[in-house]
Amino acid sequence: MEQTNSHTPTAEQMIAADNTTLIKRIMDSDIFYSFIRSPLIVIAAMLCLTLIFSAFFAPWLAPYDPFDQTTLSLWAANLPPLSTDEDGLFYLLGTDNQGRDILSAIMYGMRTSLIVGLAAVAFALVLGTSLGLVAAFFGGWIDSLLMRIADIQLSFPAILVALLIDGVAKAVLGTSQMESLAIYVLILAIGLSEWVQFARAVRAAALVEQRKEYVQAARIMGVPVPYIMLRHILPNVVSPILVIATISIAVAIITEATLSFLGVGIPQTEPSLGTLIRVGGNYLMSGEWWITLFPGFTLVLLVLSFNLLGDWLRDALNPRLK
Amino acid sequence: MGAIGLAMYKYLLQRLVQGILVMLVVTFVAFAIFHFLGDPVNNMVGESATDADRQMVRLQLGLDEPVIVQYFKFVGNILQGDFGISYRTRTSVIEQMAVRLPATLELSLVSGFFSILFGIPMGIYCALQPKSWLSRNFLVGSLVGISIPTFLSGLLLIYLFSVTLGWLPSQGRGGLVSLGWWDTSLVTLKGWSYIIMPALTLCIYQLTLITRMVRAEMQEVIRTDYIKFARARGLSNYIVQYRHALQNSLVPVVTIIGLQLGTVVAFSIITETVFNWPGLGQMFIQSIEFVDIPVMSAYLIFVGAFFVILNLIVDLVYALVDPRLRAA
């Protein structure tokens, strides 16, 4: 047995070998090279990861629990940044009107913003990609119908579409029910306002792919249509999807923040960055800038890092620029 | 006129039909919102009404008729300028919109003016001097500009110019002069002090977009053969850059700016909320807050019509500019 082992690699060895080649393949790839060569992008990626990490581990990393009513005291309200309250507690970014630590509120708020942004883009991606594939593959009236809907929707700005869906949901659900379902409605509204980009890009790329011989061969061999779409065409249209997804996350986060700022998004009970900025905006006139501007800067950094990554990815994945 | 050929008429007709189709879809969505969300009767008569009252309102509104008949009546009313009565203020929706329209239009136009005034020169500079220090800053700045949400730049301006410096008012619209039914804030200094911050806030996004587009178009044109040929002919730098390159790169830019005017109207919702500007966007946000459905659907139809008309104008301009459509 020992002898045969030395000749034929075990499953673990094969996986290990596969891993090294995978890492090697990544290290050798053009994308990795262009990544390492642009310091701005490395910084953006690190910033992005740090923000995501601190948002998702907020319950463990945040210095205080901003939703624990018992620890909030009005004595510690409206403290400027870098101040210490009477109990000797330190607040790096100050406190808001309820004595809530701004840094902790930002971390929890960013978590809500990211969840909504990522979920909305995931929804838009799945919906848009499947409709785009269907439109490209079947053509005919399905294609024209889907693309006309896309045209009409594209002539309206996403924020308006999301606002409208939100308003309709409010009328259907009623105000009290809306409160508890707000986050799902928001994901749906933002997702539905962004699917068009995915559908158009995937349709265009799939139309090119399916004229190629390997798809024709698969069709002649009698491979089922869903299998061709998912296993043959989809992997070849991944790069436009990836670029759009990255930029869409930035757009979705801004849309969520805007809706929350306008007061039609996330309720105050579970604030997102937009809600924090909206609430803090009321105190701006009396000079308490830190309540609204710190969440605002965090939002800008988050969006900017996704935008930079998306911009870079578009150039890196564009074969014409090589 | 002989130059305008059959192809162009066909093209414009096609566009017109598509525009009408879009408007039918938009009015249908608006009608569906009005018809199926909540009970219009309940919203009109209030809690204490008797069944007889309800029945009367129902008949008055024509709610006993088939849905399709109601839809065509709805469209007919809109064509006559009747958008119904607001649930919240109990006043005619069209009158409410007429009062607020000048505020939104002035804000959009001033902001559009700012973004063209700054955006085009910045874009030209970035294209002509791609390696200069200033161009790089413009480009990074434009990415930052896209990443700052409209409401946040508004808040920053308020903090800087109203709270810290105390130079400009932060809320509302003042210094108005009435020109018939149009109240303008553009003829007095006080009016400008109110409009300047909202207009700047609204223009940032457009400004970055225009800068990037002018740059991209111009870089594209500079690489073409006829520009190289113009240089080879010994034409001066000025003539080559401004007469040949700029003019040819501005055609797509102008059409996009036209289409972007619609986006300005949408973004004005946010700006109007930040600065408490009494325009249509603020009206729309309030209507969502209070589930004031007639106002919601009226705004939807207004924005839809605005977009369709802008699109048609852009198509018309294209048809006039594109020689392939002009000939034949």
Side-chain angles (χ1 to χ4, degrees):
Chain A
M1 288 301 279
E2 295 290 292
Q3 262 185 334
T4 48
N5 264 352
S6 62
H7 291 291
T8 52
T10 61
E12 285 88 56
Q13 276 171 332
M14 277 169 76
I15 290 168
D18 212 42
N19 271 342
T20 52
T21 52
L22 187 67
I23 291 167
K24 204 168 172 317
R25 269 174 61 195
I26 292 173
M27 297 278 278
D28 286 346
S29 67
D30 294 342
I31 298 217
F32 186 75
Y33 180 73
S34 109
F35 178 77
I36 286 299
R37 281 294 300 273
S38 37
L40 187 63
I41 297 310
V42 177
I43 294 172
M46 271 160 42
L47 180 70
C48 192
L49 284 177
T50 315
L51 288 174
I52 291 175
F53 183 80
S54 57
F56 282 100
F57 293 96
W60 296 278
L61 292 175
Y64 303 96
D65 181 357
F67 303 115
D68 186 357
Q69 296 291 333
T70 54
T71 59
L72 297 182
S73 81
L74 289 176
W75 297 111
N78 290 336
L79 291 176
L82 296 174
S83 53
T84 313
D85 72 358
E86 291 174 343
D87 302 330
L89 297 171
F90 178 67
Y91 301 101
L92 183 65
L93 302 182
T95 59
D96 71 0
N97 58 312
Q98 291 176 47
R100 208 181 279 154
D101 175 41
I102 302 277
L103 178 64
S104 312
I106 287 177
M107 288 167 88
Y108 277 88
M110 198 159 55
R111 191 165 68 149
T112 312
S113 294
L114 274 169
I115 289 173
V116 173
L118 293 174
V121 171
F123 176 57
L125 191 153
V126 172
L127 184 70
T129 305
S130 9
L131 291 181
L133 281 177
V134 166
F137 209 85
F138 292 106
W141 69 269
I142 298 181
D143 185 28
S144 355
L145 178 73
L146 286 174
M147 286 305 114
R148 278 298 84 71
I149 294 174
D151 279 347
I152 292 175
Q153 194 180 324
L154 214 59
S155 59
F156 292 90
I159 182 88
L160 207 66
V161 176
L163 258 176
L164 197 75
I165 295 170
D166 205 85
V168 169
K170 199 169 185 180
V172 172
L173 296 171
T175 315
S176 56
Q177 238 184 329
M178 184 71 186
E179 196 95 319
S180 55
L181 292 174
I183 194 163
Y184 302 104
V185 171
L186 214 54
I187 291 171
L188 196 77
I190 298 173
L192 283 178
S193 72
E194 284 190 3
W195 69 275
V196 177
Q197 312 279 351
F198 289 99
R200 285 192 145 194
V202 168
R203 174 179 172 273
L207 278 179
V208 175
E209 281 307 314
Q210 66 171 325
R211 270 187 227 113
K212 293 190 179 160
E213 277 159 355
Y214 74 96
V215 176
Q216 313 249 324
R219 276 191 164 178
I220 293 165
M221 281 164 67
V223 178
V225 168
Y227 192 86
I228 297 182
M229 287 202 280
L230 293 179
R231 294 302 298 274
H232 294 299
I233 295 182
L234 188 60
N236 286 307
V237 298
V238 160
S239 50
I241 297 180
L242 212 60
V243 174
I244 295 175
T246 319
I247 293 182
S248 292
I249 293 173
V251 176
I253 290 174
I254 284 200
T255 310
E256 182 277 320
T258 306
L259 292 177
S260 295
F261 178 80
L262 295 173
V264 293
I266 300 278
Q268 284 191 30
T269 44
E270 201 186 336
S272 69
L273 288 177
T275 324
L276 290 176
I277 295 167
R278 166 189 159 83
V279 175
N282 299 328
Y283 300 90
L284 195 64
M285 291 310 285
S286 49
E288 277 117 14
W289 53 272
W290 58 91
I291 304 178
T292 188
L293 293 191
F294 280 132
F297 289 142
T298 315
L299 180 67
V300 173
L301 285 181
L302 190 63
V303 171
L304 187 62
S305 64
F306 275 112
N307 269 338
L308 280 167
L309 287 176
D311 242 31
W312 162 77
L313 210 55
R314 178 169 40 205
D315 291 348
L317 291 176
N318 188 349
R320 274 191 300 176
L321 288 179
K322 269 176 196 155
Chain B
M1 283 308 280
I4 298 174
L6 204 63
M8 184 172 131
Y9 283 119
K10 205 179 148 197
Y11 166 79
L12 284 180
L13 197 70
Q14 233 172 12
R15 292 280 137 176
L16 196 67
V17 169
Q18 201 179 354
I20 292 170
L21 216 68
V22 171
M23 275 324 287
L24 280 177
V25 172
V26 170
T27 47
F28 188 77
V29 171
F31 169 75
I33 291 174
F34 179 73
H35 191 79
F36 297 111
L37 293 186
D39 184 359
V41 177
N42 267 348
N43 284 309
M44 301 289 278
V45 297
E47 299 280 312
S48 56
T50 62
D51 281 350
D53 286 342
R54 285 169 194 279
Q55 195 54 35
M56 213 169 76
V57 174
R58 193 173 292 279
L59 288 178
Q60 258 176 12
L61 290 175
L63 292 176
D64 52 334
E65 286 172 280
V67 172
I68 191 78
V69 176
Q70 287 189 43
Y71 170 64
F72 282 111
K73 280 196 169 171
F74 180 80
V75 174
N77 285 341
I78 288 167
L79 288 177
Q80 292 166 30
D82 177 10
F83 286 88
I85 306 286
S86 158
Y87 290 164
R88 190 167 68 96
T89 59
R90 311 265 157 195
T91 53
S92 146
V93 175
I94 189 78
E95 279 171 24
Q96 217 175 323
M97 286 175 77
V99 173
R100 285 169 174 272
L101 184 67
T104 296
L105 279 188
E106 282 186 357
L107 180 61
S108 309
L109 287 177
V110 171
S111 111
F113 177 71
F114 279 155
S115 50
I116 292 171
L117 189 72
F118 297 120
I120 292 183
M122 273 161 73
I124 295 172
Y125 183 79
C126 287
L128 295 180
Q129 310 282 340
K131 295 230 155 67
S132 95
W133 170 85
L134 201 59
S135 306
R136 277 159 199 255
N137 279 350
F138 281 160
L139 282 185
V140 173
S142 76
L143 205 60
V144 176
I146 290 177
S147 304
I148 297 183
T150 311
F151 62 90
L152 193 65
S153 30
L155 288 176
L156 280 171
L157 285 179
I158 289 181
Y159 184 68
L160 186 62
F161 290 108
S162 303
V163 181
T164 313
L165 297 170
W167 288 352
L168 296 169
S170 68
Q171 302 283 307
R173 188 171 181 238
L176 298 178
V177 174
S178 182
L179 308 170
W181 61 278
W182 184 288
D183 288 337
T184 180
S185 55
L186 300 181
V187 291
T188 60
L189 210 59
K190 187 160 179 244
W192 276 96
S193 77
Y194 278 93
I195 203 172
I196 191 135
M197 276 206 297
L200 277 179
T201 306
L202 192 53
C203 92
I204 289 176
Y205 185 79
Q206 310 298 322
L207 177 68
T208 54
L209 212 69
I210 290 176
T211 307
R212 292 189 140 223
M213 217 165 48
V214 171
R215 170 179 164 269
E217 286 296 333
M218 198 133 168
Q219 279 183 333
E220 199 97 327
V221 172
I222 284 176
R223 266 188 238 125
T224 54
D225 287 342
Y226 73 88
I227 292 294
K228 282 182 197 150
F229 189 66
R231 284 196 196 282
R233 272 166 66 203
L235 296 180
S236 77
N237 230 356
Y238 178 86
I239 299 268
V240 171
Q241 284 171 354
Y242 293 97
R243 286 287 294 279
H244 293 283
L246 183 62
Q247 278 187 10
N248 281 296
S249 44
L250 279 189
V251 176
V253 173
V254 168
T255 54
I256 298 282
I257 290 175
L259 288 178
Q260 284 293 320
L261 253 182
T263 319
V264 171
V265 169
F267 276 102
S268 73
I269 297 175
I270 305 159
T271 314
E272 287 176 13
T273 308
V274 175
F275 291 95
N276 212 359
W277 189 260
L280 290 170
Q282 194 193 38
M283 179 191 83
F284 180 57
I285 284 297
Q286 285 170 355
S287 77
I288 287 185
E289 208 169 315
F290 295 99
V291 199
D292 192 347
I293 290 164
V295 178
M296 263 165 76
S297 50
Y299 182 80
L300 181 67
I301 292 166
F302 165 77
V303 173
F306 195 75
F307 273 86
V308 166
I309 291 169
L310 276 180
N311 269 302
L312 281 177
I313 294 174
V314 168
D315 287 336
L316 193 72
V317 171
Y318 258 144
L320 290 173
V321 169
D322 193 334
R324 279 166 303 180
L325 288 165
R326 221 185 303 151

